[in-house]
Amino acid sequence: MQKSGNLGKLRNMASLYLSSGGKMLLLYRQGSKVVNNVWIGSAGGHFENNELNDACACVLRELREELAVTPDMIENLQLRYITLRNTGEEIRQNYYFFADLKAESELNMQSNEGIAKWFPLEKVKELEMPFTAQYVVRHYLEQGMYTDALYAGIAAGDEVVFTELSER
């Protein structure tokens, strides 16, 4: 049988963007097979088998592994965006969480996945990021951070189209 197009291979990932005092912590990812030499969320990665139905468990595990940050050090953790992108070889499904680092927590973060750096919010949109992350961060800074809405984003051509994912 000859392959034509995507045959349903999935890549599930979760990312967390930490903020504190008008700044956002980003990671310059180095050494990754999928996302390399670009700015990404504060922590994140692929789902483990036991996390396939729990994106929050994935992002909290990644936060502990990559930054040594535990759930008691953050507040206002929310899933804010879910995106889908067809790369031709796989469907990439990303879950984007946002949270605030508690004031008493350490701001000098070190990551074992690359270079962690705090950026003023107004500078974040200027950074090179993976395709869907770039659109998520831009939408969040322009609109999403002022609501509690959950947004779904579909990568369509050279953009990501967002819609509010309301409860029914």
Side-chain angles (χ1 to χ4, degrees):
M1 179 177 188
Q2 194 174 26
K3 290 184 180 181
S4 63
N6 190 302
L7 295 175
K9 182 174 172 147
L10 303 175
R11 184 179 300 269
N12 295 295
M13 298 172 283
S15 296
L16 174 65
Y17 290 81
L18 283 177
S19 294
S20 181
K23 293 183 178 182
M24 185 177 285
L25 181 67
L26 297 175
L27 174 70
Y28 190 75
R29 184 64 152 250
Q30 298 172 310
S32 171
K33 294 177 186 172
V34 178
V35 177
N36 199 28
N37 296 328
V38 291
W39 291 98
I40 61 170
S42 311
H46 296 90
F47 284 43
E48 299 289 335
N49 287 338
N50 64 322
E51 298 166 340
L52 289 178
N53 292 318
D54 192 348
C56 187
C58 175
V59 84
L60 290 175
R61 175 185 52 77
E62 293 285 356
L63 186 61
R64 277 190 307 276
E65 289 176 2
E66 295 179 11
L67 290 171
V69 172
T70 56
D72 62 313
M73 297 169 70
I74 62 173
E75 57 191 359
N76 306 318
L77 175 65
Q78 289 186 311
L79 173 62
R80 299 301 311 281
Y81 293 85
I82 303 167
T83 62
L84 291 173
R85 179 178 177 211
N86 182 356
T87 68
E89 296 177 9
E90 63 189 7
I91 303 293
R92 292 188 181 176
Q93 193 165 280
N94 289 279
Y95 297 83
Y96 293 92
F97 290 81
F98 289 79
D100 297 316
L101 188 66
K102 288 184 178 177
E104 64 273 11
S105 297
E106 177 64 41
L107 285 176
N108 186 19
M109 300 284 173
Q110 300 293 318
S111 175
N112 59 9
E113 299 279 336
I115 301 165
K117 183 176 177 182
W118 290 97
F119 288 93
L121 293 178
E122 62 272 9
K123 297 289 184 189
V124 172
K125 292 190 292 187
E126 300 170 8
L127 301 171
E128 185 178 346
M129 296 181 186
F131 183 75
T132 57
Q134 177 182 353
Y135 283 90
V136 164
V137 169
R138 183 180 303 137
H139 188 275
Y140 178 77
L141 292 172
E142 292 173 359
Q143 188 174 347
M145 67 186 291
Y146 304 107
T147 74
D148 285 331
L150 174 60
Y151 296 95
I154 303 293
D158 60 352
E159 65 178 336
V160 177
V161 179
F162 293 101
T163 189
E164 188 173 329
L165 193 58
S166 56
E167 293 180 16
R168 288 213 171 217

